[in-house]
């Protein structure tokens, strides 16, 4: 699933005389599978990130190779292996230049080398790597569910490069389109682009689906690396009209036992991102939302919101008014009557009258303490809306 070309071909020169002659800059790209392609018309069934083998059978001369190579790269192939022999006698210089300039790895193997042996070995290693990554992902899922199980999985994760003394960051991604979650569907078709972003680190990472979100676990990563990963989403999302990505980034935690807490932090951050209609939120920046998301007993949250805003909601329902909306605007604009009037498109006297009505309805002056209580109640309602409607958004 996420084995790099350099990892896949680590022993290929020694075992199969497979030599890299150009495009070394692309060796860290990930490989999905291997294919034989003999037709000069590159097939449309390529999904991208395949390593292509060709003998050139059926072709005369070598000039066709330039157009063939360019087409492979456009189709998203990860590299090309030429079987030098009776059909491909040499590699044209323009092909070598193109591959070098575009970071498209180009290999050669002698005619005596059996392609079936290399392709079998490569496919076996790709499958083994995918199984290993699934095992690692399952270990992290177990840690998220039960942090006390760290001892059970520490040996496996240590062998996989996830050291218990490293710092871990959990990044959660949800993609919403037309009010529906499409994260898994998009990830299935774009996972290689995401893996390429994760691979830009000397520490192993893990990428898996959990609770309808894409979860990335990174080690010892800087904010710059996180930005690279988040920016890798842009070309994916841009190709899907109406899709909105929301990303939550946890604080750094030390050791495997902190993974569960970091996961919860990333979910709080992504919930805040959706409420504020921001693409990315860091847990460190979500303020009072930390307290709200930290309360797991939903009934406590519901009770607090009802105690502070319930009477106003009932009044609005009975009188077809929008006092709740006006009060929130008033609180968010620090009680500026002029700014509220401008935002609502009404006269300031109307705002004053409605604020007086609100004070009468809730039975309390809007002093600083009450304002804080009311704003907290609004934030709680936002969180409850996100929890009750998994595809919710900005209520403001």
């Amino acid at each position: 699933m996420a084995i790099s070309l350099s990892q896949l071909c680590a022993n290929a020169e020694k075992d199969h005389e497979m030599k890299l002659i150009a495009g070394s800059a692309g060796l860290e790209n990930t490989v999905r599978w291997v294919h034989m392609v003999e037709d000069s018309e590159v097939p449309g069934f390529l999904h991208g990130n395949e390593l292509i083998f060709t003998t050139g059978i059926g072709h005369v001369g070598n000039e066709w190779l330039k157009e063939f190579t360019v087409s492979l790269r456009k189709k998203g192939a990860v590299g090309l292996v030429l079987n030098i022999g009776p059909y491909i006698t040499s590699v044209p210089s323009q092909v070598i230049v193109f591959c070098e300039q575009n970071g498209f790895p180009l290999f050669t193997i002698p005619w005596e080398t059996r392609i079936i042996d290399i392709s079998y070995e490569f496919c076996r290693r790709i499958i083994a790597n995918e199984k290993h990554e699934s095992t690692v992902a399952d270990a992290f899922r177990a840690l998220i569910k039960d942090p006390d199980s760290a001892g059970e999985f520490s040996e496996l994760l240590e062998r996989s490069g996830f050291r218990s003394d490293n710092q871990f960051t959990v990044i959660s991604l949800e993609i919403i389109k037309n009010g529906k979650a499409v994260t898994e569907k998009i990830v299935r078709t774009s996972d290689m682009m995401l893996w390429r972003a994760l691979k830009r680190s000397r520490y192993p990472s893990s990428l898996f689906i959990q609770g309808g979100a894409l979860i990335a676990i990174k080690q010892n990563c800087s904010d710059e690396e996180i930005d690279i990963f988040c920016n890798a989403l842009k070309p994916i999302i841009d190709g899907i009209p109406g899709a909105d990505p929301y990303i939550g980034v946890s604080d750094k935690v030390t050791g495997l036992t902190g993974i569960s807490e970091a996961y919860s932090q990333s979910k709080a951050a992504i919930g805040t991102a959706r409420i504020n209609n921001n693409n990315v939120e860091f847990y460190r920046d979500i303020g009072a939302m930390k307290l709200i998301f930290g309360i797991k007993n939903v009934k406590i949250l519901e009770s607090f919101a009802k105690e502070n805003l319930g009477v106003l909601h009932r009044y609005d329902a009975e009188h077809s008014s929008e006092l709740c909306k006006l009060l929130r605007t008033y609180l968010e604009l620090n009680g500026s009557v002029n700014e509220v009037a401008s935002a609502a498109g009404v006269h300031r006297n109307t705002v004053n009258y409605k604020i007086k009505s609100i004070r009468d309805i809730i039975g309390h002056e809007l002093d600083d303490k009450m304002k804080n209580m009311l704003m907290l109640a609004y934030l709680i309602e936002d969180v409850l809306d996100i929890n009750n409607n998994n595809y919710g958004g900005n209520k403001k």
Side-chain angles (χ1 to χ4, degrees), residues 119-372:
S119 59
Y120 172 77
E121 178 186 328
F122 283 5
C123 290
R124 182 177 55 81
R125 292 184 65 187
I126 290 170
I127 292 171
N129 183 76
E130 184 171 342
K131 288 182 178 178
H132 174 72
E133 287 177 352
S134 294
T135 302
V136 169
D138 286 342
F140 279 120
R141 288 189 183 99
L143 282 175
I144 288 170
K145 185 176 181 180
D146 179 15
D148 292 334
S149 66
E152 182 180 347
F153 299 102
S154 59
E155 185 177 348
L156 164 67
L157 293 173
E158 289 269 355
R159 287 200 311 268
S160 303
F162 296 92
R163 293 176 53 86
S164 58
D165 57 349
N166 281 346
Q167 288 190 318
F168 293 87
T169 302
V170 176
I171 304 171
S172 292
L173 161 71
E174 292 181 4
I175 302 172
I176 310 298
K177 180 181 179 182
N178 298 328
K180 296 182 179 180
V182 293
T183 310
E184 292 189 54
K185 179 180 178 181
I186 293 176
V187 165
R188 278 199 301 269
T189 58
S190 310
D191 57 342
M192 290 297 153
M193 294 181 70
L194 296 169
W195 269 115
R196 282 201 296 273
L198 284 178
K199 285 285 183 181
R200 296 175 187 175
S201 171
R202 62 191 184 96
Y203 298 99
S205 302
S206 184
L207 195 68
F208 55 91
I209 295 292
Q210 172 81 358
L214 178 70
I215 308 300
I217 296 181
K218 292 180 63 64
Q219 299 183 85
N220 300 334
C221 65
S222 63
D223 284 354
E224 182 181 3
E225 286 183 56
I226 293 171
D227 287 341
I228 290 172
F229 178 70
C230 295
N231 289 334
L233 295 171
K234 191 174 188 307
I236 299 172
I237 305 302
D238 286 348
I240 307 167
D244 295 306
Y246 298 102
I247 301 170
V249 184
S250 77
D251 288 342
K252 292 180 176 64
V253 297
T254 301
L256 298 172
T257 56
I259 294 293
S260 181
E261 175 60 26
Y263 172 77
S264 295
Q265 290 179 359
S266 73
K267 297 299 284 184
I270 205 171
T272 305
R274 286 167 54 182
I275 289 167
N276 294 334
N277 212 18
N278 292 333
N279 291 128
V280 183
E281 287 280 3
F282 286 76
Y283 181 76
R284 64 178 181 235
D285 298 327
I286 67 173
M289 301 301 277
K290 293 180 181 180
L291 299 175
I292 300 171
F293 278 103
I295 298 174
K296 304 306 179 186
N297 190 331
V298 176
K299 290 184 178 180
I300 294 176
L301 297 176
E302 291 174 341
S303 175
F304 185 91
K306 185 177 181 180
E307 287 172 5
N308 287 277
L309 291 172
V311 64
L312 203 54
H313 280 305
R314 286 193 298 273
Y315 182 92
D316 279 344
E318 292 170 2
H319 297 82
S320 300
S321 57
E322 293 187 330
L323 294 182
C324 264
K325 181 179 178 181
L326 183 133
L327 176 59
R328 180 161 191 169
T329 303
Y330 177 79
L331 296 174
E332 289 175 340
L333 294 177
N334 297 315
S336 171
V337 172
N338 288 335
E339 290 186 43
V340 174
S342 177
V346 298
H347 193 275
R348 65 188 311 276
N349 289 343
T350 301
V351 174
N352 282 324
Y353 173 79
K354 289 186 177 182
I355 292 299
K356 181 181 182 303
S357 297
I358 289 170
R359 288 199 300 266
D360 293 340
I361 293 166
I362 65 176
H364 205 289
E365 288 297 322
L366 296 180
D367 55 22
D368 288 343
K369 180 180 177 180
M370 192 60 191
K371 287 179 181 177
N372 290 335

Side-chain angles (χ1 to χ4, degrees), residues 21-23 62-67 69-70 82 84 88-102 104 106:
I21 63 172
N62 301 318
E63 297 308 311
W64 61 277
L65 275 169
K66 172 65 184 300
E67 185 177 349
T69 305
V70 172
L82 302 177
I84 304 299
I88 302 175
T89 55
S90 62
V91 185
S93 59
Q94 62 265 36
V95 175
I96 295 174
V97 170
F98 172 81
C99 291
E100 190 64 30
Q101 289 179 343
N102 291 276
F104 187 71
L106 179 65

